Amino acid sequence: MDRVRFTVSAYCLNYGALLLVDHTKHGWVPPGGKIEPDESPRRALVRELREELGWQQSLDYEFCGSSDIVSPEGFLAYEQHAAGTDILHCNVAFLILSNTRLVTPCSEFRGYRWFESLAPLAERLPFNVQTLAGRALARTRQQKENV
């Protein structure tokens, strides 16, 4: 890989459903994007959710889970994947609890949808998205069982 791009993604949950956006270049993926220079992953995600969905932190969503010495609040996973032939995406994925299903999508998206199951899209999702979306939905099921 010639270039490395650091990115963030948000696996947003609302009452057992997971938000995916239909990106014009990448198909069905979670919202997110590039981490700017001098920006932390968390700050990048707050910016991306505002730009891509029109959401404001604490009003429309919160980070899921508590932080500890090792992981920031809402940390779901770190993963790497190729983007084309010359870019390596190093992605920090966060788990987000949304207070709303209202989204004001940006021009990069053809649309969005809240999924309670990945079955309708399973074969069309990139492997990394399928894996992390499955983890996010599993956490939702665990939370429901513990209530």
Side-chain angles (χ1 to χ4, degrees):
M1 299 286 145
D2 295 339
R3 296 184 293 165
V4 175
R5 183 168 294 147
F6 294 95
T7 59
V8 292
S9 57
Y11 288 81
C12 304
L13 300 171
N14 178 272
Y15 294 99
L18 175 75
L19 174 66
L20 293 176
V21 296
D22 188 8
H23 195 282
T24 55
K25 292 182 182 175
H26 310 297
W28 289 99
V29 294
K34 189 174 124 183
I35 299 173
E36 299 294 339
D38 298 323
E39 193 174 45
S40 72
R42 183 184 168 105
R43 184 168 287 153
L45 191 68
V46 169
R47 177 183 49 76
E48 289 289 346
L49 291 176
R50 183 180 62 251
E51 291 173 359
E52 294 188 351
L53 307 179
W55 286 0
Q56 298 298 320
Q57 186 181 2
S58 75
L59 177 63
D60 297 314
Y61 68 93
E62 61 189 65
F63 286 85
C64 180
S66 58
S67 61
D68 58 32
I69 291 174
V70 180
S71 302
E73 185 179 27
F75 177 78
L76 178 64
Y78 169 81
E79 56 93 10
Q80 297 180 166
H81 61 275
T85 57
D86 64 340
I87 299 174
L88 177 67
H89 274 203
C90 299
N91 184 57
V92 179
F94 287 89
L95 191 59
I96 301 295
L97 294 180
S98 171
N99 301 323
T100 181
R101 287 197 181 189
L102 298 176
V103 171
T104 305
C106 70
S107 61
E108 296 174 5
F109 306 150
R110 286 184 287 264
Y112 68 94
R113 184 172 158 197
W114 292 90
F115 292 90
E116 292 185 11
S117 165
L118 297 177
L121 288 178
E123 294 179 13
R124 297 188 338 217
L125 291 176
F127 179 75
N128 62 314
V129 172
Q130 192 173 30
T131 301
L132 295 179
R135 282 188 197 174
L137 287 170
R139 277 217 194 153
T140 300
R141 287 188 288 278
Q142 288 172 349
Q143 287 173 338
K144 285 181 180 178
E145 292 169 4
N146 294 332
V147 174

